[in-house]
Amino acid sequence: MKKIILDCDPGHDDMMAIMLAASNPEIDLLGVTTVAGNQTGAKTFENARKILTLIGKKDLATGKEIPLARGADVPLFKPLTVAPQIHGSSGLDGAELPAPDVDALEIDAVDFIIKTLNESNEKITLVPTGPLTNIAMAFLKAPAIKNKVKEIVLMGGAVYDSNITPAAEFNIYVDPEAAKIVFDSGLPVTMIGLDVTNKSLMTFPVIEDMIGWNGPASKIVGPLMKFFAQANKDNFGIDGAPVHDALAVARVIDPSVVECEFLNVDIETASELTRGQTLADLYKVTGKEPNVDVALKVNVDRFLELLLGAIRTLDEKLK
Ligand code: RIB
Ligand code: CA
């Protein structure tokens, strides 16, 4: 089993990442930490509480309760940018989730990440699917924890694509300085960017079919994915729900789900025009050492097999 900490800003696709991580037998979900991004810190935290309540609070692979810790409400330097145009005013519009009965740990996300890494007897994979503020703060506060990190598999960035400005992807744009700290950490980083996640679609027919399952999980996930798919169609002309964040978890479960190239990737932090751009040196013209495995191809069928399998597993478990 692979031990992971999922740092997220739920967010419809973050919800799918949590559901996949909590229900797949390959993953030991050591904790969920939240960060401001898709919505304010208060809203992403509340959404995480509701999602963990919906799925029964426990990691299926271990039977253990999944700890939840709340993180940063603002980026390191920039004012917060949220995305109601994609995720709605709650950050998880499209269906009513159960009233939460999951409470946060006493410690915050940064201290939870530091404590969990320090106390672990094996290296842990960090899976950030929101702005990288918590991860960067943990590295700044306790640099030695890097020795306990196996790898960082993050959803963010893009080589050819963008969504928040013509130059940048949302997670990197919101906190570019945090992203630079993570990309320059010297740790193995895999970038699951828009080049592959915008192809990793739950199409409208797949969503309608899932709604028809009418299980305890699928009857809520379906309408949420329908809302998310419509928002992506309205904003980007994408014909379905690009389940960005779940692809990062899928990569941890089955690395063959994406094909990567080892490239130098630097983050634009100086220019306002291209703020947050993940500049990938495809042709090695800079002479800078590669530092990131950049996902450029995706096996969408394998991804959907894992993702839909997770929802079916939760439908069975929650019956
Ligand atoms: O650009 C897509 C990413 O930004 C996803 O992680 C989505 O949840 C938002 O956080
Ligand atoms: Ca996210």
Side-chain angles (χ1 to χ4, degrees):
M1 246 187 297
K2 295 154 186 172
K3 292 183 180 297
I4 77 167
I5 295 173
L6 181 58
D7 184 70
C8 56
D9 61 335
H12 295 75
D13 52 325
D14 302 81
M15 173 190 72
M16 300 303 274
I18 293 170
M19 290 184 164
L20 178 56
S23 60
N24 189 278
E26 293 287 319
I27 299 287
D28 177 359
L29 181 55
L30 297 176
V32 171
T33 53
T34 61
V35 65
N38 283 321
Q39 262 300 347
T40 63
K43 290 180 177 179
T44 61
F45 173 65
E46 189 66 4
N47 291 335
R49 293 182 68 210
K50 290 179 177 177
I51 294 161
L52 290 174
T53 301
L54 171 62
I55 67 171
K57 306 187 241 183
K58 290 183 178 176
D59 177 79
L60 260 181
T62 65
K64 291 185 296 185
E65 286 238 346
I66 302 165
L68 172 65
R70 179 173 168 178
D73 284 339
V74 286
L76 295 183
F77 299 99
K78 297 288 193 284
L80 178 62
T81 303
V82 292
Q85 72 278 18
I86 304 297
H87 298 277
S89 59
S90 74
L92 205 48
D93 283 15
E96 271 310 306
L97 279 91
D101 72 0
V102 167
D103 290 319
L105 296 174
E106 289 296 308
I107 56 174
D108 71 10
V110 172
D111 287 338
F112 172 76
I113 292 166
I114 293 168
K115 181 173 185 290
T116 306
L117 286 168
N118 280 333
E119 293 176 355
S120 177
N121 57 16
E122 60 184 277
K123 291 196 174 188
I124 292 171
T125 296
L126 300 181
V127 183
T129 65
L132 291 159
T133 316
N134 291 338
I135 309 299
M137 286 172 71
F139 288 170
L140 291 171
K141 185 172 183 179
I145 60 171
K146 290 181 187 176
N147 299 321
K148 301 298 283 293
V149 175
K150 180 178 179 185
E151 62 174 333
I152 299 170
V153 182
L154 62 89
M155 192 281 141
V159 179
Y160 302 102
D161 208 339
S162 61
N163 59 6
I164 186 69
T165 73
E169 176 279 325
F170 180 80
N171 287 337
I172 310 299
Y173 174 85
V174 169
D175 198 338
E177 290 82 5
K180 186 153 181 64
I181 288 168
V182 172
F183 278 64
D184 291 352
S185 65
L187 290 168
V189 173
T190 299
M191 183 178 101
I192 306 294
L194 294 175
D195 311 297
V196 288
T197 66
N198 272 342
K199 297 186 180 103
S200 303
L201 302 185
M202 283 183 86
T203 59
F204 287 95
V206 167
I207 295 169
E208 287 303 334
D209 182 57
M210 185 171 68
I211 291 173
W213 300 352
N214 199 32
S218 50
K219 70 184 177 185
I220 294 178
V221 168
L224 287 167
M225 284 294 108
K226 200 167 176 179
F227 175 94
F228 184 53
Q230 192 57 52
N232 276 276
K233 189 173 181 68
D234 296 346
N235 283 274
F236 307 114
I238 294 174
D239 198 20
V243 199
H244 308 286
D245 298 333
L247 187 59
V249 175
R251 163 71 176 189
V252 179
I253 294 166
D254 177 0
S256 74
V257 75
V258 292
E259 289 178 35
C260 296
E261 274 193 53
F262 193 42
L263 302 170
N264 180 271
V265 178
D266 204 348
I267 310 292
E268 176 58 73
T269 56
S271 156
E272 197 44 45
L273 181 65
T274 55
R275 160 189 162 182
Q277 184 172 15
T278 47
L279 209 63
D281 185 5
L282 283 168
Y283 305 111
K284 301 177 174 46
V285 295
T286 65
K288 291 193 280 186
E289 283 300 306
N291 58 332
V292 178
D293 279 305
V294 178
L296 292 172
K297 289 182 182 168
V298 54
N299 179 340
V300 179
D301 290 343
R302 176 58 177 148
F303 171 60
L304 288 176
E305 178 188 17
L306 288 169
L307 190 57
L308 295 175
I311 305 306
R312 283 200 184 278
T313 299
L314 287 171
D315 272 350
E316 281 307 307
K317 173 198 169 195
L318 300 172
K319 263 183 184 150

